[in-house]
């Protein structure tokens, strides 16, 4: 079989067109930025019949040109995608092949966007996201990887080969190389890595690890930060000084040093990460316990059963999480120990939560100090509400805007931290397909073979970019009202 | 002002003591010591031999005593080992036990000996810091002006096309960690894959002789990641200043836009970014470690990785002390600088 080219037969026709339209787009953007310095601004003119008319001038015309060239480029991209889905692998090349493999993701994305835009007025802040272009682009990028992770992880779609399978003869082969064995997917779409594994499949499978760990670790960091930050900001005084000192202590630690100190096998053997997990994971239980108790303590008939059920479930989850075979903490009998997490992933998880929690603490503390002077807090105090009720049910909901924005940014930052850990080969096993480890693996031969580390690098970049754009869109929309 | 500095200094010393103690504790945990004994002594030592090896060299003392000795506030140990040899902490550099001083810790300038790089920790750290200093200097030269110009241009006309393009660029750079941008830059500009083999993919030669060809990629890789964040802060501060009353007054009086930006807005808009730039140092340290590993530039960050991955306890401690101090001093400087730059606080 012939190796695939990047764009196949379709490219022979379309590539020259794309080169022209992309360069026109680039020139227009540059011209518009330049023109922004000296050309007169676009103004509005009111006509006698009561309508408004834009008086464009040079800037206005450039704006229109930019819009249309952008639409044209978008159309061409769609043609490539559709071409890939319709034509054969030879016909549409590597890009088309990837587009075809990703078909379930495209469908899921289109459905999500169609439904969300249709009902956006009734969906609160989430719906408002679809009013901002930046927010939509960000959301699209994030959901692309979320769907890729879910569909490849749970339904075994998208990825073309087993990410750990080595096929002899395909070591460091360039993208589009045909697979010599029968019964498998006929190509390595993005080539083979230095152990002859499929780069494309590893990139897709790697998204599962990031998508599973990063948001969850951020949630835990927020639980810790909120549970500690609310009282620090609300009570102030000695408690605040002590907690702030502790947070600054962790923040003054260079992150990489902390990782090296926590994640090395020797330290893991002493059980310190397990103890840290035991401490950090107790915060969600405390959080939910206090949350429910402060709300319902006036209705004991409702509160007591609710608390018992929630505490039992969370407590069991907590105990099975921290009790691990082969680590310092093994106390639950096997029949009660619901699940064991890969110890490497647990250590990574703990250190990421540990690094992120102090920053969340600082944000929550600052917001609390600001909000506690508001009238509705004084009103609640006059009503005789307890301190925790005020913190969790009056202050926290009113601090949600900045917290949601920071949550998005922080998932991105956690993704970067996970990549950093992988890049230094810490925590996760070396054959793991996560993006950081794959970049680390690929960089050793980077000057000779470029293709193995680039796909995971660009994947990580696009996910973090998506999260940052999403945060930007959310911030813009939440400031608007 | 003086009181504030003393207060900050007090907190700084307390933080530094706590942090160094934590690092000391983590590096002196028993599995680390066992590994040290096996790499320094004999890889096939039995457990009792490991214990006596550690006993003889003072590693089995209580943690606080060891920390005090390392710090130089407690006299160094003098132990007669189980093999009959008399060893003292301070007699390592060819000094006999009688000549050796009683105290030899970090405070006396004795940072210990690196087992991996086979040299005094203090010499290693000074040379490596010098190399990293060179890198950081150029990073700052690229990053700070670039970020400030970007932020000011974006913030002077909020919502304009220029603002939106520059903001997008700064979001893009903050979303690109060093290990991604570094890999992409090397792939594009240091190999012939894309036909743009313009720079060197390693910076090893830049340690002696840095030039544009071998130093540009590492510098731009670190600078870009920090640049976006500073630019966004500058932009935020600039847009805030541009909506202030006195700017409107100046504009109504007919001052040209150029003069408003350069003479009235700029000075006030630069106070906030100063703090951000100073607080950026700890993150830059992160980037330095990644970039020095990626480009094989044997500076401070590279030393950190070597020390940490080879269990080189004394070197790791030295590196941690220095990096913790860098972080704390920049925090102090940013506090002082903020007060100094902001006349409203300085004069009251």
């Amino acid at each position: 079989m012939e190796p695939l080219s990047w764009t196949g037969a379709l490219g022979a026709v379309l590539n020259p067109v794309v080169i022209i339209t992309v360069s026109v787009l680039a020139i227009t953007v540059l011209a518009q930025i330049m023109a922004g310095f000296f050309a007169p601004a676009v103004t509005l003119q009111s006509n006698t019949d009561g309508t408004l008319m834009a008086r464009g001038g040079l800037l206005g015309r450039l704006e229109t040109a930019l819009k249309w060239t952008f639409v044209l480029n978008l159309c061409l991209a769609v043609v490539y995608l559709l071409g890939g889905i319709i034509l054969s692998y030879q016909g549409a090349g590597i890009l088309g092949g990837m587009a075809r493999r990703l078909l379930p993701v495209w469908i899921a994305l289109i459905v999500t966007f169609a439904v969300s835009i249709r009902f956006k007025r009734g969906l609160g802040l989430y719906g408002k996201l679809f009013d901002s272009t930046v927010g939509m682009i960000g959301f699209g990028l994030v959901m692309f990887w979320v769907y890729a992770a879910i569909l490849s992880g749970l339904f075994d779609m998208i990825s073309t080969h087993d990410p750990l399978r080595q096929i002899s003869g395909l070591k460091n082969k360039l993208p589009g190389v045909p697979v010599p064995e029968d019964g498998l997917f006929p190509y390595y779409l993005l080539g083979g890595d230095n152990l002859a594994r499929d780069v494309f499949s590893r990139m897709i499978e790697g998204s599962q690890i990031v998508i599973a760990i990063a948001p969850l670790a951020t949630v835990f960091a927020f639980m810790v930060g909120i549970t500690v930050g609310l009282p620090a900001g609300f009570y102030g005084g000695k408690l605040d000084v002590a907690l702030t000192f502790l947070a600054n202590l962790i923040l003054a630690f260079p992150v990489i040093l902390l990782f090296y100190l926590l994640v090395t096998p020797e330290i893991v053997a002493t059980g310190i990460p397990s103890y840290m997990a035991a401490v950090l994971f107790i915060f969600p239980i405390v959080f939910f316990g206090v949350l429910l108790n402060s709300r319902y303590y006036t209705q004991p008939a409702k509160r007591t059963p609710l608390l018992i059920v929630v505490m039992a479930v969370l407590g069991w989850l907590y105990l099975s999480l921290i009790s691990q075979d082969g680590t310092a903490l093994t106390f639950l009998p096997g029949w009660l120990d619901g699940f064991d997490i890969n110890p490497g992933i647990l250590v990574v998880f703990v250190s990421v939560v540990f690094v992120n929690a102090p920053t969340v603490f600082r944000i929550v503390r600052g917001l609390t100090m600001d909000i506690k002077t508001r009238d509705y807090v004084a009103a609640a105090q006059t009503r005789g509400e307890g301190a925790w009720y005020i913190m969790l049910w009056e202050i926290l909901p009113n601090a949600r805007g900045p917290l949601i924005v920071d949550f998005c940014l922080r998932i991105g930052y956690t993704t970067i931290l996970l990549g950093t850990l992988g890049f230094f080969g810490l925590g996760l096993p070396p054959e793991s397909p996560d993006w950081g480890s794959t970049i680390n693996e690929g960089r050793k031969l980077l000057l000779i073979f470029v293709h193995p580390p680039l796909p995971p690098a660009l994947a990580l970049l696009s996910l973090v970019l998506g999260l940052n754009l999403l945060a930007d869109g959310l911030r813009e929309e939440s400031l608007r009202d | 002002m003086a009181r504030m500095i003393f207060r900050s200094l007090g907190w700084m010393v307390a933080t530094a003591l706590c942090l160094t103690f934590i690092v000391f504790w983590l590096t002196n945990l028993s599995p680390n010591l066992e590994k040290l004994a096996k790499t320094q002594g004999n890889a096939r030592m039995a457990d009792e031999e490991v214990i006596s090896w550690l006993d003889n060299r003072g590693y089995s003392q209580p943690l606080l005593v060891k920390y005090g000795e390392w710090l130089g506030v407690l006299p160094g140990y003098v132990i007669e080992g189980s093999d009959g040899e008399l060893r003292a902490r301070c007699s390592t550099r060819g000094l006999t036990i009688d000549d050796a001083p009683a105290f030899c810790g970090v405070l006396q300038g004795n940072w210990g000996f690196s087992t991996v790089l086979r040299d005094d920790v203090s010499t290693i750290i000074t040379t490596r810091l010098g190399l990293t200093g060179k890198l950081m200097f150029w990073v700052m030269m690229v990053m700070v002006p670039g970020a400030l110009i970007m932020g000011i241009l974006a913030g002077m006309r909020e919502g304009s096309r220029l603002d939106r393009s520059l903001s997008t660029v700064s979001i893009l750079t903050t979303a690109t960690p060093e290990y991604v941008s570094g890999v992409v830059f090397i792939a594009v500009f240091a190999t012939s894959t894309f036909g743009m083999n313009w720079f060197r993919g390693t910076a090893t030669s830049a340690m002696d002789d840095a030039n544009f060809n071998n130093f540009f990629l590492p510098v731009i890789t670190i600078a870009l990641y920090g640049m976006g964040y500073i630019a966004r802060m500058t932009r935020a501060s600039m847009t805030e200043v541009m909506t202030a009353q006195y700017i409107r007054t100046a504009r109504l009086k007919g001052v040209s836009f150029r003069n408003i930006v350069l003479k009235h807005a700029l000075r006030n808009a630069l106070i906030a970014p100063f703090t951000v730039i100073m607080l950026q140092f700890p993150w830059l340290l992160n980037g330095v470690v990644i970039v020095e590993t990626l480009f094989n530039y044997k500076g401070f960050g590279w030393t950190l990785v070597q020390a940490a991955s080879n269990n080189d306890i004394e070197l790791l401690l030295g590196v941690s002390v220095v990096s913790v101090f860098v972080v704390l001093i920049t925090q102090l400087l940013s506090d002082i600088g903020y007060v100094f730059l902001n006349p409203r606080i300085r004069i009251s």
Side-chain angles (χ1 to χ4, degrees):
Chain A
M1 273 192 296
E2 293 268 299
L4 292 181
S5 65
W6 277 100
T7 45
L10 190 65
V13 190
L14 277 185
N15 284 358
V17 184
V18 170
I19 291 172
I20 295 170
T21 52
V22 168
S23 36
V24 169
L25 183 70
I27 292 168
T28 330
V29 170
L30 279 181
Q32 208 192 19
I33 289 173
M34 288 296 138
F37 283 110
F38 55 84
V42 180
T43 48
L44 292 176
Q45 181 188 26
S46 54
N47 297 332
T48 43
D49 55 352
T51 52
L52 282 175
M53 195 175 71
R55 276 198 301 194
L58 178 62
L59 212 54
R61 252 170 279 152
L62 277 172
E63 185 114 353
T64 327
L66 185 68
K67 198 168 87 191
W68 287 110
T69 40
F70 184 74
V71 170
L72 189 64
N73 273 297
L74 215 61
C75 291
L76 283 171
V78 172
V79 170
Y80 272 113
L81 281 183
L82 288 178
I85 293 164
I86 299 163
L87 296 172
S88 66
Y89 286 108
Q90 279 296 346
I94 298 170
L95 289 179
M98 287 198 290
R100 178 192 276 195
R101 289 305 300 182
L102 288 166
L103 183 63
V105 176
W106 304 131
I107 294 173
L109 273 182
I110 290 169
V111 170
T112 315
F113 269 79
V115 171
S116 306
I117 291 176
R118 173 71 186 76
F119 298 107
K120 68 179 173 185
R121 288 290 155 251
L123 291 172
L125 184 62
Y126 169 74
K128 278 198 205 128
L129 193 61
F130 292 89
D131 290 336
S132 109
T133 322
V134 169
M136 278 204 290
I137 296 175
F139 183 72
L141 282 173
V142 174
M143 289 319 283
F144 175 87
W145 286 113
V146 171
Y147 286 133
I150 293 174
L151 293 170
S152 67
L154 299 182
F155 302 101
D156 205 16
M157 285 169 161
I158 307 171
S159 61
T160 51
H161 294 87
D162 180 354
L164 297 180
R165 185 191 176 110
Q166 305 177 342
I167 296 178
S168 62
L170 295 185
K171 188 172 152 186
N172 288 324
K173 281 287 184 291
L174 290 176
V177 65
V179 171
E181 287 175 39
D182 286 334
L184 294 170
F185 186 80
Y187 298 99
Y188 266 9
L189 283 175
L190 290 176
D193 68 1
N194 63 346
L195 290 172
R197 298 169 298 194
D198 182 26
V199 173
F200 175 73
S201 304
R202 285 178 72 77
M203 175 182 78
I204 295 290
E205 303 275 329
S207 68
Q208 293 164 17
I209 297 173
V210 176
I211 294 290
I213 297 182
L216 203 60
T218 316
V219 169
F220 272 90
F222 264 76
M223 296 268 186
V224 178
I226 289 172
T227 321
V228 183
L230 280 174
F234 189 74
Y235 291 118
K238 291 248 167 54
L239 178 76
D240 183 29
V241 173
L243 288 173
T244 310
F245 180 72
L246 267 181
N248 285 343
L249 213 60
I250 303 173
L251 284 176
F253 232 104
V255 177
I256 289 192
L257 188 63
L258 198 68
F259 282 161
Y260 260 111
L261 288 177
L262 285 181
V263 185
T264 47
E266 284 81 30
I267 304 273
V268 175
T270 61
I272 288 175
S274 306
Y275 294 120
M276 282 174 64
V279 173
L280 286 177
F281 292 156
I282 215 160
F283 280 98
I285 303 187
V286 174
F287 178 78
F288 281 112
V290 176
L291 187 78
L292 293 173
N293 186 43
S294 63
R295 178 93 211 192
Y296 294 114
Y297 77 108
T298 47
Q299 303 149 264
K302 205 169 170 187
R303 188 235 1 216
T304 317
L306 189 69
L307 264 187
I308 288 175
V309 170
V310 170
M311 286 295 105
V313 171
L314 286 180
W316 176 74
L317 283 176
Y318 171 73
L319 290 177
S320 8
L321 188 67
I322 60 165
S323 162
Q324 293 260 356
D325 283 335
T327 60
L329 287 172
T330 317
F331 50 85
L332 278 191
W335 57 271
L336 200 59
D337 196 351
F339 50 88
D340 272 342
I341 299 184
N342 177 349
I345 289 189
L346 187 74
V347 173
V348 168
F349 194 86
V350 168
S351 36
V352 171
V353 173
F354 187 68
V355 169
N356 271 320
T359 328
V360 180
F361 162 81
R362 270 163 69 145
I363 296 168
V364 173
R365 173 179 164 271
L367 286 169
T368 312
M369 283 162 76
D370 177 29
I371 293 176
K372 77 173 177 190
T373 57
R374 302 283 169 86
D375 286 343
Y376 51 79
V377 174
Q381 276 166 334
T382 323
R383 285 205 306 273
E385 304 283 9
W388 280 101
Y389 179 87
I390 295 175
M391 281 185 239
L392 287 169
W393 292 97
E394 300 281 349
I395 294 179
L396 189 58
N398 286 297
R400 69 180 184 281
L403 286 183
I404 291 174
V405 172
D406 186 71
F407 184 71
C408 289
L409 284 177
R410 202 145 291 283
I411 297 178
Y413 181 61
T414 312
T415 310
I416 292 181
L417 281 184
L418 286 176
T420 313
L421 278 169
F423 181 79
F424 287 106
L426 294 169
L428 297 162
E431 77 277 3
S432 141
D434 75 291
W435 294 336
S437 309
T438 327
I439 295 173
N440 181 32
E441 191 96 330
R443 77 178 164 92
K444 290 165 191 160
L445 288 174
L446 183 59
L447 289 175
I448 313 165
F449 299 109
V450 169
H451 64 277
L454 275 187
L458 296 178
L460 195 142
L461 168 61
S462 65
L463 177 62
V464 179
L465 179 65
L467 285 161
N468 284 11
L469 291 176
L470 182 62
D472 218 51
L474 282 173
R475 182 186 297 135
E476 222 167 76
E477 292 304 316
S478 65
L479 282 181
R480 194 165 285 178
D481 45 41
Chain B
M1 181 87 185
R3 237 188 100 195
M4 193 209 92
I5 294 177
F6 274 116
R7 258 180 74 103
S8 315
L9 271 177
W11 278 117
M12 195 180 119
V13 172
T15 315
L17 280 178
C18 287
L19 284 179
T20 47
F21 181 72
I22 293 171
V23 178
F24 194 86
W25 170 60
L26 284 173
T27 47
N28 276 280
L29 284 167
S30 57
N32 280 332
L33 292 179
E34 194 179 317
K35 198 172 159 194
L36 177 83
K38 286 186 174 166
T39 47
Q40 289 302 300
N42 178 358
R44 277 192 283 278
M45 276 200 279
D47 286 352
E48 303 87 59
E49 287 175 291
V50 168
I51 291 171
S52 68
W53 193 91
L54 292 175
D55 279 343
N56 294 347
R57 285 158 186 81
Y59 285 111
S60 316
Q61 302 170 82
L63 185 68
L64 274 174
V65 175
K66 276 194 290 183
Y67 179 66
E69 285 175 5
W70 173 79
L71 201 63
V73 291
L74 289 180
Y77 63 82
V78 181
I79 291 175
E80 190 175 348
S82 50
D83 49 358
E85 199 177 328
L86 195 65
R87 291 187 182 84
R89 181 185 157 83
C90 302
S91 70
T92 41
R93 296 181 199 188
L95 289 171
T96 60
I97 291 171
D98 301 326
D99 293 344
F103 296 89
C104 53
V106 172
L107 293 178
Q108 282 81 25
N110 185 355
W111 292 62
F113 191 80
S114 159
T115 53
V116 173
L117 300 176
R118 304 242 161 250
D119 203 349
D120 270 338
V121 170
S122 46
T123 16
I124 296 175
I125 286 183
T126 31
T127 47
R128 303 300 180 187
L129 262 186
L131 287 171
T132 297
K134 188 162 78 172
L135 182 63
M136 292 306 287
F137 173 74
W138 288 109
V139 168
M140 285 290 159
M141 292 306 280
V142 173
M143 185 174 80
V144 173
L148 291 182
I149 291 173
M150 253 170 83
I152 288 163
L153 285 180
M156 66 185 192
R157 284 205 187 91
E158 194 186 0
S160 66
R161 171 69 61 172
L162 184 67
D163 176 22
R164 273 180 283 163
S165 339
L166 286 177
S167 297
T168 314
V169 171
S170 52
I171 290 180
L172 185 68
T173 64
T174 40
T176 320
E178 291 91 350
Y179 52 89
V180 168
S181 50
V183 163
V184 172
F185 284 149
I186 294 181
V188 175
F189 296 117
T191 65
S192 46
T193 321
F194 296 91
M196 291 186 280
N197 192 357
W198 296 337
F199 300 105
R200 291 284 299 278
T202 66
T204 317
S205 55
M207 291 194 292
D208 308 317
D209 167 36
N211 54 34
F212 190 66
N213 191 12
N214 58 19
F215 216 41
F216 180 73
L217 285 186
V219 167
I220 201 78
T221 305
I222 305 181
L224 270 186
Y225 185 50
M227 202 189 251
Y229 186 65
I230 301 180
R232 296 189 74 175
M233 291 298 149
T234 317
R235 176 189 172 274
S237 149
M238 188 73 186
T239 49
E240 203 186 316
V241 170
M242 286 304 278
T243 53
Q245 298 284 344
Y246 71 92
I247 296 288
R248 195 166 61 179
T249 314
R251 199 177 279 186
L252 289 175
K253 277 163 68 185
V255 183
S256 71
F257 187 72
R258 186 197 158 89
N259 272 342
I260 288 179
V261 171
L262 289 179
K263 292 197 176 148
H264 297 257
L266 200 55
R267 245 194 267 173
N268 286 312
L270 287 182
I271 297 174
F274 170 79
T275 343
V276 177
I277 292 170
M278 294 313 287
L279 293 179
Q280 200 68 10
F281 267 96
W283 302 116
L284 286 178
L285 196 70
N286 232 343
V288 163
V289 178
I290 293 171
V291 165
E292 286 184 359
T293 314
L294 186 61
F295 287 91
N296 204 17
Y297 182 81
K298 292 173 179 146
F300 187 71
W302 181 85
T303 314
L304 191 155
V305 172
Q306 292 303 314
S309 46
N310 291 312
N311 194 35
D312 190 342
I313 294 179
E314 301 209 306
L315 184 58
L316 187 55
L317 277 168
V319 169
S320 324
V321 172
V322 173
S323 45
V324 163
F325 263 93
V326 168
V327 172
L328 293 175
I329 287 172
T330 49
Q331 279 178 1
L332 183 71
L333 281 181
S334 92
D335 285 352
I336 297 172
Y338 188 73
V339 173
F340 190 70
L341 283 178
N342 196 340
R344 269 175 296 190
I345 301 180
R346 186 178 60 207
I347 291 165
S348 71

